[in-house]
Amino acid sequence: MYTREQASQLRQAFWTTFGQYIAPHLSAEGLRTNWVNYKTGLPGVAFKMDADKKSASIAIEMSQADPEIQELYFEQFLALKTLLHETLEEEWEWALHTEDEYGRTVSRIYKEIKPVSVFNKDDWPALISFFKPRIIALDAFWSDAQYSFDALR
């Protein structure tokens, strides 16, 4: 087992490594992008990548405090489901009003892999291979889809 400090250092080392690996890739609009902390520009909508000791996931997460507003955003993504899945070249899971690790109500569109561990450096290539094409595809999707949310801003 790792101490809290060691676990934090390993997580940070992974995300730094991933960030360096993907940094040369420009966004769909030809801009330099902080892929690890991707900004959608839409309040309460984030692209999140997570890895722990058992699994890894990438998600579009809607975290608006008002569940009805959150549902409006979720429904807008549902209207774009075909475009999203075509851009990702795979289908993702859809969860309206679930709980995050802090007990807050969120809605998520996500893909997960198991078993992988961010604490096992031998798994890092699999994690990078999982995250890289998906965050790039999410960026390509968002480049087209973001304008569909203008009325909700």
Side-chain angles (χ1 to χ4, degrees):
M1 293 301 292
Y2 295 105
T3 66
R4 187 178 301 237
E5 175 75 19
Q6 290 169 322
S8 176
Q9 288 175 348
L10 264 174
R11 268 194 210 93
Q12 185 175 358
F14 170 76
W15 291 113
T16 299
T17 300
F18 177 74
Q20 291 169 341
Y21 180 77
I22 198 167
H25 294 274
L26 299 179
S27 73
E29 296 176 352
L31 304 172
R32 294 192 62 70
T33 301
N34 181 342
W35 295 101
V36 175
N37 294 308
Y38 191 96
K39 304 285 185 231
T40 65
L42 199 58
V45 176
F47 296 167
K48 293 195 172 190
M49 295 180 282
D50 188 39
D52 59 27
K53 63 184 178 182
K54 295 181 180 177
S55 65
S57 66
I58 184 168
I60 301 169
E61 189 171 282
M62 290 142 276
S63 60
Q64 295 82 3
D66 183 335
E68 291 178 11
I69 300 292
Q70 196 178 106
E71 190 167 347
L72 286 173
Y73 280 82
F74 190 83
E75 287 172 358
Q76 185 60 42
F77 276 105
L78 273 173
L80 299 165
K81 186 175 186 176
T82 301
L83 175 64
L84 176 64
H85 288 170
E86 284 175 358
T87 306
L88 293 167
E89 298 181 352
E90 64 186 3
E91 293 197 8
W92 284 21
E93 301 296 318
W94 293 67
L96 176 64
H97 297 154
T98 187
E99 281 192 2
D100 68 7
E101 64 270 21
Y102 305 107
R104 295 179 297 200
T105 298
V106 298
S107 293
R108 302 177 80 224
I109 304 162
Y110 66 96
K111 187 73 171 181
E112 185 177 56
I113 59 166
K114 294 179 182 180
V116 290
S117 174
V118 72
F119 303 114
N120 180 351
K121 287 188 176 185
D122 292 340
D123 284 348
W124 287 12
L127 290 168
I128 289 169
S129 295
F130 173 71
F131 289 128
K132 180 186 169 194
R134 288 169 178 86
I135 193 66
I136 289 171
L138 278 178
D139 172 66
F141 163 78
W142 194 242
S143 177
D144 293 330
Q146 63 183 319
Y147 306 105
S148 299
F149 291 85
D150 285 349
L152 298 175
R153 288 183 194 265

